[in-house]
Amino acid sequence: MIAPMVLGSVLNPVNSSMIAVALVPIGSALGAPPSQTAWLVSGLYLATAVGQPVIGRLVDMFGPRRLYLIGTAMVGVAGLLGSLAPSLGALVAARVLLGFGTSAAYPAAMHLTRSEAERTGRDSPAGVLTALAVSAQTVSVIGPTLGGLLIGLGGWRTIFLVNVPLSLACLVLGALRLPKAPKLARAPKSVGVAEAKGDRGDGAGDVPAPVARGIDLPGMALFAALLVALMVFLMKPRAEDWYLPVIALLAGAAFARRELRVPEPFIDLRVLGGNGPLLATFLRQFLNYTTAYAFLYGFTQWLEEGRGLHAAAAGLVLLPLSLSGLLVSAITGRREAVLGKLVVGSLVQIAGCVVMLTLQAGSAMWLLAAVGALMGVPQGLNGLANQNALYRQADPARIASAAGLLRTFMYLGAMAASAADAAFFTHGADTGGLHHLSLFMLAGAVLLLAVTVIDRSLGTLTPRKA
């Protein structure tokens, strides 16, 4: 099952990162300024931030296979529509559809990982978790290079068209290898969750979950309203848009009120609120990816505008980012040293931000590549550490929902990074704006280190018995 799980899980990061080198060419081709092409980034993250936990809850309730197949089919449709889009509006719509489509695979993979751990009695699937994290991180950092090469070969539309063969591969692998659940979803056992009694003569650890009592559609709708209002405001904070945070606050209050009262909530706030270590993991995920995506998008735009490089050349400059992230992940992946990885990752982020403050329009190419290599190290450490922490901290019966929320906080970080890029590059991606962005990133990296060091629970994470 690892092949469809990994391939499906990389659909979102590859599309998130390839677009970084395509924003300038798309803007030139369609006559759109950076303030409008930013919607190509924000539209996907809005859709994914809402879609990940929603689809994750559906995976927990109905099983991963059908959600995986539906989602990956949507990716192919979105890729085809994007490659044919005649305007920026149509392109943004394709990216939104792409965001929803890519929301299914990662929660499905985490659900399958936990189910297999229960079935086999081996509750330390470090190899699978590493494969998921390393593949996503590697594709994220390779994405700009891949995007630059595709644009050089066939123009910016190729970064959309490439989703068609990827979607077909996911559909074939998913149909052949993912387990079917025709009547009841397969769910791991957990304390407090009703379980059906069944024949365990085959020795498998799977226990059929009860049929879902109902989907909390009002809760999902309120959660979506909360995120959309908040993230649209973060895209371009302005005093005249004061009503957006008000809507977010009201939607959040209504969401909390409902989730605390219904028997089968979309997000069980009682359990989540009592799980301080998991909440801290979500915060670290947000801080880590705010810095990571601010670098990915901001530094890439500066390479093209401030440094004057072609999209393909900018992608090649970022290649050391890919290589260092891959190398670090491969070396440390099977070690569940969550605390050590986060401390080292945040310290290297701090060092990278300091070096960025020294960059100028005439900086040597080797220095630019060195900055990328330095920033690749936390890419290979922090995301994997947070994923491993979540696997130990989350309720096994809601592992897909928790995994979806982990991705949501990643996209909230991406949105904050996008807003920072827009704020500091108001007159284009010049060197002064890059230095201000570097200070913003530095503050986030320092805060990440502080949140990590004060969390004593990280030193006590150990595998638990299936």
Side-chain angles (χ1 to χ4, degrees):
M1 296 187 294
I2 293 179
M5 288 164 58
V6 169
L7 183 58
S9 296
V10 304
L11 291 176
N12 190 276
V14 73
N15 281 285
S16 302
S17 55
M18 282 195 304
I19 197 70
V21 294
L23 294 176
V24 173
I26 289 173
S28 299
L30 300 180
S35 60
Q36 293 182 14
T37 57
W39 276 100
L40 294 170
V41 177
S42 304
L44 183 137
Y45 287 134
L46 279 170
T48 316
V50 173
Q52 287 272 353
V54 169
I55 296 177
R57 183 63 182 134
L58 296 178
V59 167
D60 283 328
M61 295 170 69
F62 301 116
R65 188 175 190 271
R66 69 188 68 180
L67 275 304
Y68 177 97
L69 294 176
I70 292 171
T72 51
M74 289 174 61
V75 170
V77 173
L80 185 60
L81 293 176
S83 67
L84 301 174
S87 64
L88 182 64
L91 207 57
V92 170
R95 289 277 293 179
V96 170
L97 182 62
L98 192 62
F100 282 117
T102 58
S103 294
Y106 181 70
M110 289 294 284
H111 180 101
L112 286 164
T113 302
R114 169 55 67 179
S115 296
E116 282 297 291
E118 294 282 346
R119 184 182 68 81
T120 61
R122 298 176 60 186
D123 197 49
S124 184
V128 178
L129 292 175
T130 299
L132 291 174
V134 170
S135 58
Q137 293 161 4
T138 302
V139 168
S140 293
V141 294
I142 287 177
T145 303
L146 176 61
L149 293 175
L150 288 174
I151 291 172
L153 291 173
W156 61 264
R157 294 185 185 273
T158 56
I159 70 168
F160 290 89
L161 193 60
V162 73
N163 285 290
V164 176
L166 290 175
S167 171
L168 291 175
C170 286
L171 289 172
V172 172
L173 289 172
L176 291 176
R177 299 187 179 182
L178 296 185
K180 296 180 180 179
K183 294 182 180 180
L184 295 174
R186 294 282 179 176
K189 296 185 293 181
S190 67
V191 177
V193 178
E195 296 172 354
K197 301 294 184 180
D199 180 15
R200 292 170 55 99
D202 60 355
D206 278 343
V207 178
V211 177
R213 298 176 185 176
I215 301 173
D216 183 17
L217 291 177
M220 292 179 178
L222 289 169
F223 179 78
L226 162 65
L227 280 185
V228 170
L230 178 62
M231 295 175 77
V232 169
F233 180 75
L234 286 176
M235 285 174 53
K236 193 174 182 180
R238 297 181 302 179
E240 54 265 36
D241 292 333
W242 60 269
Y243 61 90
L244 289 173
V246 172
I247 291 175
L249 181 62
L250 293 176
F255 173 73
R257 178 182 175 87
R258 175 174 176 81
E259 300 305 280
L260 290 172
R261 294 190 172 192
V262 297
E264 291 292 331
F266 163 48
I267 297 176
D268 195 336
L269 295 182
R270 293 184 185 89
V271 174
L272 187 62
N275 194 339
L278 182 59
L279 294 176
T281 294
F282 289 148
L283 176 58
R284 287 192 298 271
Q285 185 83 338
F286 170 77
L287 292 172
N288 173 53
Y289 280 99
T290 297
T291 298
Y293 277 106
F295 175 79
L296 179 63
Y297 292 125
F299 185 66
T300 304
Q301 290 186 63
W302 176 79
L303 287 175
E304 295 183 44
E305 295 186 13
R307 188 61 172 77
L309 300 181
H310 185 270
L316 289 175
V317 168
L318 291 175
L319 187 57
L321 178 77
S322 312
L323 297 177
S324 64
L326 177 59
L327 181 62
V328 169
S329 297
I331 293 174
T332 66
R334 290 186 175 272
R335 302 175 185 174
E336 293 193 44
V338 173
L339 177 59
K341 289 178 181 178
L342 287 169
V343 169
V344 174
S346 55
L347 286 173
V348 177
Q349 270 193 346
I350 291 172
C353 294
V354 172
V355 175
M356 286 178 63
L357 290 170
T358 68
L359 296 180
Q360 301 294 331
S363 293
M365 295 291 286
W366 68 264
L367 179 59
L368 304 181
V371 171
L374 193 61
M375 294 301 287
V377 173
Q379 291 275 23
L381 293 174
N382 294 341
L384 178 57
N386 285 328
Q387 178 182 266
N388 287 341
L390 175 131
Y391 185 81
R392 299 297 172 198
Q393 296 163 342
D395 177 5
R398 287 177 173 261
I399 187 68
S401 304
L405 280 173
L406 187 70
R407 282 286 179 96
T408 292
F409 278 90
M410 181 179 80
Y411 301 130
L412 285 172
M415 287 299 304
S418 180
D421 289 342
F424 296 123
F425 291 158
T426 52
H427 303 295
D430 56 18
T431 301
L434 178 69
H435 289 166
H436 287 107
L437 180 65
S438 301
L439 290 173
F440 170 81
M441 294 165 54
L442 179 61
V446 170
L447 187 55
L448 173 62
L449 178 62
V451 173
T452 298
V453 171
I454 65 176
D455 188 354
R456 296 183 179 180
S457 69
L458 293 177
T460 62
L461 289 179
T462 56
R464 55 191 176 195
K465 293 183 179 181

